[in-house]
Amino acid sequence: MRRFFTSESVTEGHPDKVCDKISDGILDELLKQDPNARSAVECCAAYNTLLIAGEVTANATVDYEQVARRIIKEIGYHHGSFAYDACNVTTLVHGQSADIALGVDASVEKKAGGDDLDTLGAGDQGMMFGYACRETEELMPLPIVLAHKLARKLSELRKDKTIPYLRPDGKTQVTVEYEGKTPVRVDAIVISVQHKETATHEEIERDLKELVVKSVIPASLLDGNTKYYINPTGKFCIGGPEGDSGLTGRKIVVDTYGGRCAHGGGAFSGKDPTKVDRSAAYMARYVCKNLVAAGICDEVELEVAYAIGVARPVSVFIDTFGSGKLPDDKIAEIVRGEFDLRPAAIIKTLDLRRPIYAETAAYGHFGRDNFPWERTDRVGDLKKYLK
């Protein structure tokens, strides 16, 4: 059966990603001073103004505006109304709600006499999803892997001035054709990138095909029928927050699996690891990647659901899409037995009270080996179930 699947990515200069990176940059600065910091910081960027808002409870002193301007400068906004030294910054940050803190500080289980890993209750209700598959060496879907690589390449060539007319904002999109579940070719590539007024459309199209697409997409996946849409409007000079407003947490599908699996709805950036929106989604990826790497299945989606103030998940659901070497309910039982899904245990397992989050803010939270949830160190423990 022939089918097509599309995923998109965006560069770090996309207005939503600017906001994500500032939110996570603030979180990192808090964690450097206080590993137990609580943070839920979100940003809104529009034209010449950045709003930083949210809740922080920490034994730390952080200049939020200074962090924001540093990150805007690092991303590359040096000119225009949103330049790092020209934009207006407004900060509205207060402490975490005492009512929410009640459930996080002591879970229902801890109040009933539980152990140390029962200390933290989930910071909110909700469901989080993880996913892994054998499509790529990253155990990720091919469309989102390629879209992220294209976006990263755009930023790389902009920053090293190989393509000097590029500007920070940009988007990529890749459509992959499948035969059954096997990717066989790239059917379409869309790249929209901000540029100087002096760059011509012909120049941009030529450079992006030669220096971006051909360096990222394997030649075996490209053919004479592959379609290219390079800056299809013809011009993209006004970008970033000047061209479109940005919000923290608006690129949740870009951040995860490119639409391949379900999403609980919770965003990641700006949230400390007591927020299961983030930490449990990371743990779910960790579980799924180890299941696939161990050969228990070729594809798997895991849903974990929580109640606010309760440490243990209220449900664990597994779907291997028919690829499991064991029944899905048996795999769910294995997951519950092998992986501790309580918030405090997740934080301990993945060592999440560290300033590692700004790096996650662009080009995907999954499929990059430098993050602890990408380890496959549980493969040996899982393989025993196949004997």
Side-chain angles (χ1 to χ4, degrees):
M1 178 181 69
R2 192 175 76 154
R3 62 192 183 102
F4 299 83
F5 195 86
T6 302
S7 294
E8 71 160 346
S9 181
V10 296
T11 67
E12 64 201 85
H14 184 281
D16 294 333
K17 283 292 150 199
V18 171
C19 292
D20 282 346
K21 192 155 190 177
I22 293 170
S23 294
D24 276 335
I26 289 170
L27 172 60
D28 280 354
E29 292 302 319
L30 292 166
L31 291 172
K32 286 176 185 177
Q33 298 180 44
D34 180 4
N36 294 308
R38 303 265 177 88
S39 172
V41 171
E42 298 177 347
C43 299
C44 174
Y47 192 60
N48 65 349
T49 299
L50 174 72
L51 171 65
I52 304 171
E55 300 80 48
V56 168
T57 300
N59 184 21
T61 301
V62 173
D63 187 328
Y64 303 127
E65 179 177 343
Q66 184 181 58
V67 172
R69 293 190 187 279
R70 170 178 57 79
I71 289 171
I72 294 167
K73 182 178 182 180
E74 290 171 355
I75 289 171
Y77 285 109
H78 301 159
H79 307 285
S81 64
F82 198 75
Y84 72 94
D85 56 354
C87 63
N88 304 310
V89 179
T90 299
T91 302
L92 296 172
V93 177
H94 56 82
Q96 184 182 46
S97 161
D99 292 347
I100 293 175
L102 284 174
V104 179
D105 292 337
S107 70
V108 169
E109 294 93 333
K110 185 63 176 178
K111 292 170 184 174
D115 62 30
D116 288 345
L117 292 179
D118 281 323
T119 300
L120 290 178
D124 201 354
Q125 69 177 46
M127 62 284 191
M128 297 82 213
F129 289 86
Y131 180 82
C133 65
R134 290 199 183 281
E135 243 170 72
T136 61
E137 63 180 17
E138 297 90 348
L139 301 185
M140 288 281 288
L142 182 60
I144 189 64
V145 167
L146 294 179
H148 283 322
K149 287 182 177 180
L150 288 172
R152 287 182 73 93
K153 194 67 176 178
L154 286 173
S155 289
E156 175 189 320
L157 297 178
R158 169 176 63 86
K159 290 182 174 181
D160 68 14
K161 302 189 186 308
T162 299
I163 307 181
Y165 56 77
L166 293 183
R167 290 293 178 259
D169 198 356
K171 305 179 77 171
T172 64
Q173 185 172 288
V174 178
T175 301
V176 173
E177 180 179 348
Y178 290 78
E179 288 183 2
K181 292 194 172 184
T182 303
V184 294
R185 59 181 292 273
V186 169
D187 185 65
I189 295 170
V190 183
I191 302 177
S192 295
V193 64
Q194 186 186 8
H195 58 87
K196 284 184 179 180
E197 286 273 5
T198 52
T200 67
H201 184 73
E202 292 73 22
E203 180 183 17
I204 296 168
E205 191 169 34
R206 180 196 68 226
D207 288 347
L208 266 55
K209 282 183 181 179
E210 290 297 320
L211 300 176
V212 179
V213 173
K214 289 186 178 180
S215 68
V216 167
I217 310 293
S220 60
L221 294 176
L222 300 172
D223 60 30
N225 293 318
T226 299
K227 298 178 283 292
Y228 300 91
Y229 302 93
I230 310 293
N231 278 16
T233 65
K235 183 180 179 182
F236 185 5
C237 296
I238 302 171
E242 284 190 86
D244 193 7
S245 60
L247 291 171
T248 298
R250 191 156 58 178
K251 285 290 179 285
I252 58 176
V253 174
V254 170
D255 285 343
T256 53
Y257 306 98
R260 177 60 64 84
C261 74
H263 197 292
F268 300 156
S269 291
K271 295 178 181 176
D272 74 84
T274 67
K275 278 71 172 176
V276 285
D277 276 346
R278 183 169 217 161
S279 56
Y282 289 169
M283 189 66 176
R285 164 63 178 172
Y286 176 64
V287 171
C288 289
K289 190 172 183 182
N290 277 273
L291 288 171
V292 172
I296 287 179
C297 50
D298 294 327
E299 181 183 15
V300 61
E301 178 181 285
L302 166 65
E303 182 198 47
V304 185
Y306 292 87
I308 188 169
V310 180
R312 297 180 186 276
V314 299
S315 71
V316 175
F317 174 79
I318 284 282
D319 187 352
T320 64
F321 308 94
S323 74
K325 308 304 186 291
L326 300 166
D328 287 358
D329 59 346
K330 174 62 177 175
I331 297 174
E333 182 182 323
I334 291 169
V335 169
R336 283 190 289 265
E338 289 287 342
F339 297 92
D340 194 333
L341 300 174
R342 292 175 291 176
I346 292 171
I347 291 169
K348 181 179 179 181
T349 298
L350 300 180
D351 193 13
L352 296 179
R353 293 197 185 276
R354 298 178 291 137
I356 59 174
Y357 298 102
E359 180 63 23
T360 70
Y363 314 115
H365 292 243
F366 307 125
R368 293 192 277 160
D369 288 340
N370 49 323
F371 301 134
W373 47 90
E374 294 296 319
R375 300 192 313 254
T376 52
D377 54 351
R378 297 301 308 280
V379 166
D381 299 323
L382 296 171
K383 281 187 173 180
K384 66 188 178 187
Y385 294 101
L386 295 175
K387 296 178 181 178

